[in-house]
Amino acid sequence: MAAGLCPGRALLSRRGGALWALLGPARGLAAGPETHFGFQNVSEAERREKIYQVFENVAEKYDVMNDSMSLGIHRVWKDILVHKMNPSPGTLLVDVAGGTGDIAFRFLNYVRSVRERQLQQKLRHQQNLSWQEISKSYQEEKSNPLGDSQVVVCDINREMLKAGKQKAQHLGYSEGLSWVLGNAEELPFDDDKFDVYTIAFGIRNVTRIDLALQEAYRVLKPGGRFLCLEFSHVSNPLLSRLYDLYSFQVIPVLGEVIAGDWKSYQYLVESIRRFPPQEELKAMVEDAGFLRVDYQNLNSGIVAIHSGFKL
Amino acid sequence: GQRQQVGRVPLYPGHIPTSPLQKALLAAGSACVALWDPYRHDMVAVLGETTGCLALPKLRDRMRNDPEGYRILQERPRIRLSTLDMARLRGLPDGTLGREYVRFLEDNKVSPDTRMPAKFVDDEELAYVIQRYREVHDLMHTLLGMPTNMLGEVVVKWFEAVQTGLPMCVLGAAFGPIRLNARKLQVLATELVPWAVRSGRNASCVLNVYYEQRWEQSVESLREEIGIFPPPAVRV
């Protein structure tokens, strides 16, 4: 998909493009090195295909399932991420694997309220304005409530984007928001474009995390910030056992009962276990060139936010 | 660290091995959802599979001990649109099993292919037994003369509850009537249920009938042979 948007890169791409299609059955081993899909071992090409199908199946019930599985706590995690980002009006954000738009909407809400406060502050400091100047200030607020902030939601899966666009329409988000079909391992954007890059509960599903991190580095402006919100590892042994019990016994059942789909949610809990723990991910982020890399555990490590800067 | 969730391998295509805790959660969850939304047929199916561990082996044994049932277990016939010759069945005389079955499918706009395959039964033969029960359900409707509205379904469930002992049928028979109005409840209680129960008790095991070899047989004669009494003359 990304290859289609950047035709110049297609033939040079290591994985996609016309070259692979020509090789066809001769691919065999060339379908990609061995990797994992949950606890199964598969080729890279198979993994991408399977993950695409998982999200195609879950797209419609994605938000309902998130609420059921995390008992609504995922909303708090996402709020914390955006608060940590603390975006000011005028920020350009790319939310990768942004699917149904949770981070994008929170970002827009945040900059809108910051902007409102800014304008209020401005008014308060200028005590002797004429009526004309005050009404011009209100117009400014109405005509530019986001202060030129923008968010681009990028996702590899059409169904997830579709669900996100529908949600945006339903909730009334239109300004400062765009939706792009794209692959985290090969983003359809120019270098040095964004102020902030976020990936929330998405990097776990990327097959080549190193490439996604390199792409993140590439598309960020110098001074830009990388933020990753993802399931991580719980070190506390008692909590870890309870968490495992809940994950493996309850979550697939919830998937079957709510969404009629056991397998996708079995994949979800297995993929969490397969994902690198906090320190390992930190090292990977540093390898991509980010500096001042750090992480913050939420709920004892069930979830972690990794942050880095392109300096 | 990584941990296999359940140390078991799938025993048949589509099998999902589950722990006892998962089966209990599935049973509870599917019961709630099926009650809430009876059109979630997948939840009714899951309920049947997770609660059938006692009834299914008994049903399988009854099949094994009957010559026709034994043949069914050996040959494993499946009722699917791809295996049925719909044109031939439609061409059979009125009153024959084949003709009435096709009429039932068309009148109620149902298809035998919408039956969910078994997922949570941990025995390959028992998975076939519950599959056979599901696929034969439409033939039950035909033999009992019941349509697929709520009332008709409840009556069939009563019959199946007596016949199979599957908890899912018992629950469906007990809770299904909740959604019926007073008039229908009256008809159900006074005429339909007593007849369904009497027939269910009197009839031989309905899973021991090789329906695919009896399309030409008349519904009446098949009813007599199995032991199902003629349905009461009420509008369902």
Side-chain angles (χ1 to χ4, degrees), chain A residues 41-65:
Chain A
N41 286 326
V42 296
S43 70
E44 278 191 5
E46 257 187 281
R47 183 190 145 102
R48 285 198 188 90
E49 171 73 40
K50 281 169 129 69
I51 291 177
Y52 192 91
Q53 278 169 9
V54 165
F55 282 93
E56 207 172 41
N57 293 341
V58 305
E60 254 176 65
K61 297 248 177 151
Y62 187 70
D63 295 325
V64 172
M65 280 302 304

Side-chain angles (χ1 to χ4, degrees), chain A residues 3-269:
Chain A
L5 288 161
C6 305
R9 301 176 67 144
L11 285 171
L12 299 171
S13 153
R14 258 172 289 163
R15 298 156 314 286
L19 228 44
W20 283 117
L22 287 173
L23 287 174
R27 260 194 276 159
L29 286 170
E34 275 266 300
T35 177
H36 53 84
F37 178 75
F39 288 158
Q40 296 171 43
N41 286 326
V42 296
S43 70
E44 278 191 5
E46 257 187 281
R47 183 190 145 102
R48 285 198 188 90
E49 171 73 40
K50 281 169 129 69
I51 291 177
Y52 192 91
Q53 278 169 9
V54 165
F55 282 93
E56 207 172 41
N57 293 341
V58 305
E60 254 176 65
K61 297 248 177 151
Y62 187 70
D63 295 325
V64 172
M65 280 302 304
N66 283 346
D67 276 332
S68 320
M69 293 190 293
S70 68
L71 305 170
I73 301 174
H74 74 104
R75 297 167 183 241
V76 176
W77 293 331
K78 287 166 181 165
D79 287 341
I80 294 176
L81 178 71
V82 176
H83 271 79
K84 191 178 171 89
M85 192 198 303
N86 192 17
S88 46
T91 299
L92 188 51
L93 166 69
V94 62
D95 181 32
V96 177
T100 55
D102 280 347
I103 302 298
F105 303 150
R106 282 171 172 76
F107 168 80
L108 291 172
N109 290 343
Y110 196 98
V111 294
R112 185 175 287 128
S113 63
V114 170
R115 174 100 175 122
E116 269 172 25
R117 234 177 309 134
Q118 272 180 352
L119 290 169
Q120 279 168 14
Q121 289 265 9
K122 208 172 79 173
L123 275 182
R124 230 176 289 145
H125 283 149
Q126 294 164 322
Q127 294 297 317
N128 46 355
L129 286 178
S130 70
W131 283 117
Q132 284 165 318
E133 284 167 309
I134 292 176
S135 81
K136 197 169 82 159
S137 194
Y138 285 145
Q139 271 178 352
E140 205 182 290
E141 180 180 336
K142 256 182 53 186
S143 67
N144 195 2
L146 296 174
D148 297 319
S149 319
Q150 275 190 69
V151 53
V152 178
V153 179
C154 179
D155 200 290
I156 198 175
N157 192 296
R158 265 188 196 87
E159 293 305 313
M160 291 292 282
L161 276 180
K162 205 169 90 175
K165 281 188 202 164
Q166 281 173 355
K167 206 163 96 176
Q169 217 177 27
H170 182 69
L171 295 172
Y173 291 98
S174 52
E175 260 195 78
L177 182 59
S178 43
W179 306 85
V180 174
L181 191 67
N183 183 344
E185 295 172 4
E186 201 177 343
L187 290 172
F189 306 117
D190 276 329
D191 303 359
D192 306 322
K193 207 160 178 263
F194 296 100
D195 298 308
V196 185
Y197 171 112
T198 52
I199 185 164
F201 301 116
I203 203 164
R204 196 179 72 254
N205 300 305
V206 170
T207 302
R208 293 283 304 276
I209 298 175
D210 54 334
L211 294 178
L213 293 173
Q214 284 170 31
E215 281 293 274
Y217 191 85
R218 182 181 68 78
V219 303
L220 276 171
K221 288 182 193 161
R225 189 175 196 183
F226 166 86
L227 283 167
C228 166
L229 173 66
E230 190 52 83
F231 288 109
S232 200
H233 284 240
V234 176
S235 45
N236 176 319
L238 176 63
L239 186 60
S240 173
R241 288 186 64 177
L242 286 172
Y243 180 46
D244 277 354
L245 187 75
Y246 178 73
S247 296
F248 285 102
Q249 300 299 317
V250 178
I251 287 184
V253 173
L254 281 177
E256 180 70 26
V257 170
I258 297 176
D261 186 355
W262 175 286
K263 299 231 149 126
S264 294
Y265 291 90
Q266 179 71 32
Y267 161 73
L268 168 71
V269 295

Side-chain angles (χ1 to χ4, degrees), chain A residues 39-40 61 233 241 244-245 248-250 252-263 266 270 273-274, chain B residues 1-6 14-19 21-22 25-26 29-30 33 40 42-43 46 119-120:
Chain A
F39 288 158
Q40 296 171 43
K61 297 248 177 151
H233 284 240
R241 288 186 64 177
D244 277 354
L245 187 75
F248 285 102
Q249 300 299 317
V250 178
V253 173
L254 281 177
E256 180 70 26
V257 170
I258 297 176
D261 186 355
W262 175 286
K263 299 231 149 126
Q266 179 71 32
E270 287 178 3
R273 294 301 173 296
R274 279 280 199 159
Chain B
Q2 297 152 22
R3 234 184 48 184
Q4 266 302 341
Q5 165 246 327
V6 179
H15 180 215
I16 297 175
T18 43
S19 67
L21 175 59
Q22 285 175 321
L25 292 171
L26 275 171
S30 60
V33 174
R40 279 291 299 270
D42 61 328
M43 285 295 102
V46 169
K119 285 191 283 207
F120 301 112

